[in-house]
Amino acid sequence: MKRKEIFTLALALCMGAGAFAESPLKGSQRTFSRPGVRYMQKVRPAEEGRTVLATDLPDGLVWNSKRRLVEGHINRPGEYSYNIIVGGADTVPVHLTVSDSLLLPTPMMGWLSWNVVQNRVSEDVMRETALAIRDKGLLDAGYKYIGIDDDWHCGAERPPSGYPAPDSIRFPNGMKPVGDFLHSLGLKFGIYSTAALHTCDVQFGSYGHEDVDARAYADWGVDFLKYDYCHVNSIGIGDYRERRVGKYVYKRMAEAIERCGRPIILYMCEWGTNSPWEWAHEVDSPVWRATHDHRDGWNGYPADNIANVRHTGIGVRQALYIMRDIWPYTGVNHFNDADMLCAGIHGRGDGSNALLDGVSFDGTNFVKDGKIYEGLNADEAATEFAMWCMWSSPLFLTFDIRNEIAPADMALLTNPEMIAINQDAMGQAAEFVSELDGVQLWVKDLENGDIAVAVVNMNDVPADYEFSAGLTDAIDSGIQYKVRNLIDRKDEAPFTCRMRLQIPPHGTRLLRFSK
Ligand code: GLA
């Protein structure tokens, strides 16, 4: 079945249930898996306390009532469906595609030019960055999606020909040689545009020019398009906070991509405004930004705002509160993105220092407490990387890779045991379990049956936390587990029923439990 047909079928199924506006299910009705790879969908009701039950499951899948999840293996590619009954009354259909040719079986890992390079992006920068990514071992670690963000354009208006011309000084040979060069190194090539007349940094956008742009991207060898959402109000089709507006502009580009003949990943960047995790599949998008821009610090701005954090500065702390509510929507080929990683920037990003608690610009530097601001500290960077891995968020670096990379940054960002959690074939996002005295507990089921556990200290002081089997249904009490500390890459004492964890302020313990 072609992608378009799958999309239409899914849409018909979902519309039949009157699904999107007020779904009784907190989770996706459109899921994906690969043949023979273990599948899981944790089923949670939109309204806490309502019962859930899965019925009419295809062969290979079973309902685990204790843990409220559908799991199993389907070996044959195809289209499958089952039903979720919420509160004993509401039936919600789920459509599952099992395929070996999904656009994005695991989250993207790569680099985006935004936070540090910004409007200095050029062919030279891209070539040098690509070589550095290969030569410094980042490609071997998995970072292969290399994207040009905003400001590659020739200006605020496109040329009269309509062709999306890049800046002719910074890209003297056009874009195709950039794509060719990245591909020659085994990398994937990404470009950026906006679903409006202007991008966020006021270059020309793609609205009304979707076909010419998608065709140009295909000619350039583009593999993914980061498609932003600034200035949509000025199109004159409604408020950007209306879901129909978001769906409409993204669908226009999805259809242009379909027509352009190259499988380009549509990476939506509407910052979670219209809950894209509920409808991304309708525009064929396997990955979307779930938050507003993530900044290089623990606490965004306003600092005390965790209830409505969509349009504020997003520190690591705010990301933790946003993901707490939307983790059930992530799955294979369907990823919530918590935005570019700030680890490695150390306060040197033009685009990542604003909107942080206590950080201001003195005309020359960003400062905090009278000192030059240095961004995330080591524990906060470890929490950021650990939780992006736990959420199956894309891992996009955005510091200047061409400069010397501090050994501690390199060790963290290429840590293979943490990356394995991110790239796990089952594509789950960690489930938020609890927050007690400012310590959050998250668990993630892995394809081989192991369980990853993250304990995050949200406090500004050290925490002494007792983790016990009774805290989560993912760990069986009475069984002895091997425990691996993934950040420090060392074995811990075997676990039977409880363990004590000392966690620094804003730090995380990331543990892998194996039977
Ligand atoms: C928006 C996006 C950022 C970045 C900038 C570029 O703010 O959310 O990730 O792409 O635009 O202008």
Side-chain angles (χ1 to χ4, degrees):
M1 192 183 275
K2 283 176 44 198
R3 282 197 300 148
K4 185 92 174 257
E5 289 165 346
I6 293 170
F7 159 69
T8 312
L9 175 61
L11 185 61
L13 277 171
C14 296
M15 287 185 38
F20 291 117
E22 300 275 331
S23 175
L25 180 70
K26 180 175 182 174
S28 185
Q29 289 177 242
R30 188 72 183 86
T31 61
F32 302 86
S33 184
R34 284 167 49 218
V37 172
R38 185 173 169 222
Y39 169 79
M40 180 175 287
Q41 183 180 28
K42 290 190 177 170
V43 178
R44 299 293 179 266
E47 204 182 300
E48 246 175 75
R50 296 189 86 195
T51 58
V52 283
L53 167 73
T55 63
D56 309 302
L57 289 160
D59 285 350
L61 300 186
V62 294
W63 170 241
N64 178 334
S65 58
K66 176 173 163 248
R67 298 196 57 206
R68 295 184 298 165
L69 54 85
V70 174
E71 65 180 324
H73 294 80
I74 293 186
N75 294 325
R76 196 131 45 88
E79 305 302 320
Y80 300 86
S81 60
Y82 53 87
N83 289 316
I84 309 268
I85 316 288
V86 183
D90 297 327
T91 301
V92 183
V94 174
H95 182 92
L96 161 66
T97 296
V98 179
S99 166
D100 254 331
S101 50
L102 299 172
L103 273 176
L104 208 55
T106 59
M108 291 187 282
M109 294 175 62
W111 179 86
L112 287 172
S113 60
W114 183 245
N115 285 39
V116 173
V117 170
Q118 292 218 312
N119 62 6
R120 296 178 295 281
V121 68
S122 65
E123 176 174 344
D124 287 347
V125 167
M126 294 307 290
R127 283 176 179 267
E128 290 161 17
T129 300
L131 287 170
I133 282 178
R134 183 196 63 183
D135 296 345
K136 295 183 181 183
L138 289 161
L139 174 57
D140 286 344
Y143 295 94
K144 67 174 182 190
Y145 287 87
I146 311 304
I148 298 177
D149 209 288
D150 205 347
D151 289 339
W152 53 265
H153 314 69
C154 66
E157 307 306 328
R158 63 179 65 221
S161 68
Y163 186 75
D167 180 282
S168 57
I169 296 179
R170 289 181 285 124
F171 293 94
N173 307 302
M175 282 296 183
K176 187 166 179 341
V178 179
D180 289 347
F181 186 69
L182 294 183
H183 292 149
S184 74
L185 299 184
L187 298 165
K188 303 273 191 195
F189 178 33
I191 197 81
Y192 166 99
S193 190
T194 300
L197 298 173
H198 292 104
T199 69
C200 297
D201 215 22
V202 201
Q203 304 297 298
F204 61 79
S206 290
Y207 185 78
H209 302 270
E210 289 88 351
D211 276 305
V212 67
D213 285 3
R215 275 198 304 273
Y217 304 154
D219 290 346
W220 301 345
V222 164
D223 302 298
F224 68 104
L225 167 65
K226 174 173 171 180
Y227 204 43
D228 220 324
Y229 199 52
C230 288
H231 306 297
V232 164
N233 278 2
S234 59
I235 301 174
I237 55 169
D239 191 292
Y240 79 110
R241 288 163 299 191
E242 288 175 59
R243 183 176 292 200
R244 77 168 170 87
V245 171
K247 276 192 193 179
Y248 174 71
V249 292
Y250 280 102
K251 181 116 185 275
R252 287 175 65 105
M253 184 48 95
E255 290 176 350
I257 290 175
E258 184 78 28
R259 286 190 287 270
C260 86
R262 186 177 169 87
I264 297 172
I265 294 169
L266 179 58
Y267 169 26
M268 290 200 288
C269 180
E270 57 85 272
W271 326 297
T273 306
N274 288 305
S275 307
W277 41 88
E278 291 180 357
W279 51 269
H281 57 276
E282 290 187 52
V283 296
D284 243 348
S285 171
V287 57
W288 52 86
R289 277 274 297 281
T291 76
H292 210 257
D293 293 7
H294 171 43
R295 314 286 173 167
D296 187 9
W298 175 254
N299 210 358
Y301 183 85
D304 56 356
N305 185 359
I306 54 165
N308 178 18
V309 285
R310 294 258 174 265
H311 293 281
T312 61
I314 307 295
V316 175
R317 178 168 178 264
Q318 281 73 22
L320 280 151
Y321 285 110
I322 294 172
M323 287 296 176
R324 195 174 68 163
D325 292 330
I326 59 173
W327 63 265
Y329 293 88
T330 283
V332 167
N333 203 44
H334 204 259
F335 297 108
N336 276 308
D337 171 28
D339 197 9
M340 292 166 267
L341 294 158
C342 290
I345 298 180
H346 298 291
R348 292 194 292 266
D350 295 341
S352 57
N353 286 327
L355 289 177
L356 280 164
D357 183 34
V359 177
S360 58
F361 190 61
D362 70 2
T364 316
N365 295 304
F366 282 94
V367 290
K368 184 174 186 181
D369 302 330
K371 291 192 290 230
I372 292 189
Y373 183 60
E374 292 187 347
L376 294 171
N377 70 28
D379 290 322
E380 294 163 349
T383 292
E384 182 198 62
F385 197 61
M387 295 314 296
W388 266 237
C389 289
M390 286 291 276
W391 295 325
S392 296
S393 169
L395 300 177
F396 277 115
L397 308 175
T398 180
F399 59 94
D400 195 337
I401 305 283
R402 298 169 301 168
N403 297 336
E404 200 185 333
I405 304 177
D409 290 342
M410 200 63 192
L412 177 70
L413 298 170
T414 62
N415 179 325
E417 299 183 64
M418 295 174 81
I419 290 173
I421 301 295
N422 178 263
Q423 294 290 305
D424 185 76
M426 207 158 66
Q428 293 285 291
E431 170 182 357
F432 172 75
V433 179
S434 57
E435 178 169 335
L436 196 68
D437 297 332
V439 179
Q440 291 192 355
L441 174 64
W442 298 76
V443 298
K444 175 171 181 170
D445 285 73
L446 303 173
E447 210 258 343
N448 74 347
D450 287 0
I451 304 291
V453 172
V455 185
V456 188
N457 181 7
M458 310 293 285
N459 299 296
D460 300 337
V461 293
D464 181 2
Y465 182 80
E466 181 172 302
F467 174 72
S468 63
L471 288 173
T472 165
D473 58 18
I475 300 283
D476 296 320
S477 53
I479 292 183
Q480 178 164 300
Y481 288 85
K482 282 190 288 186
V483 181
R484 181 78 175 160
N485 177 331
L486 301 183
I487 297 177
D488 298 335
R489 303 194 63 190
K490 62 175 198 277
D491 292 332
E492 299 281 348
F495 176 90
T496 39
C497 57
R498 56 205 187 104
M499 69 195 292
R500 289 210 87 78
L501 302 170
Q502 268 78 40
I503 316 166
H506 309 169
T508 291
R509 294 293 289 274
L510 182 64
L511 305 169
R512 183 171 183 139
F513 286 68
S514 320
K515 282 186 183 160

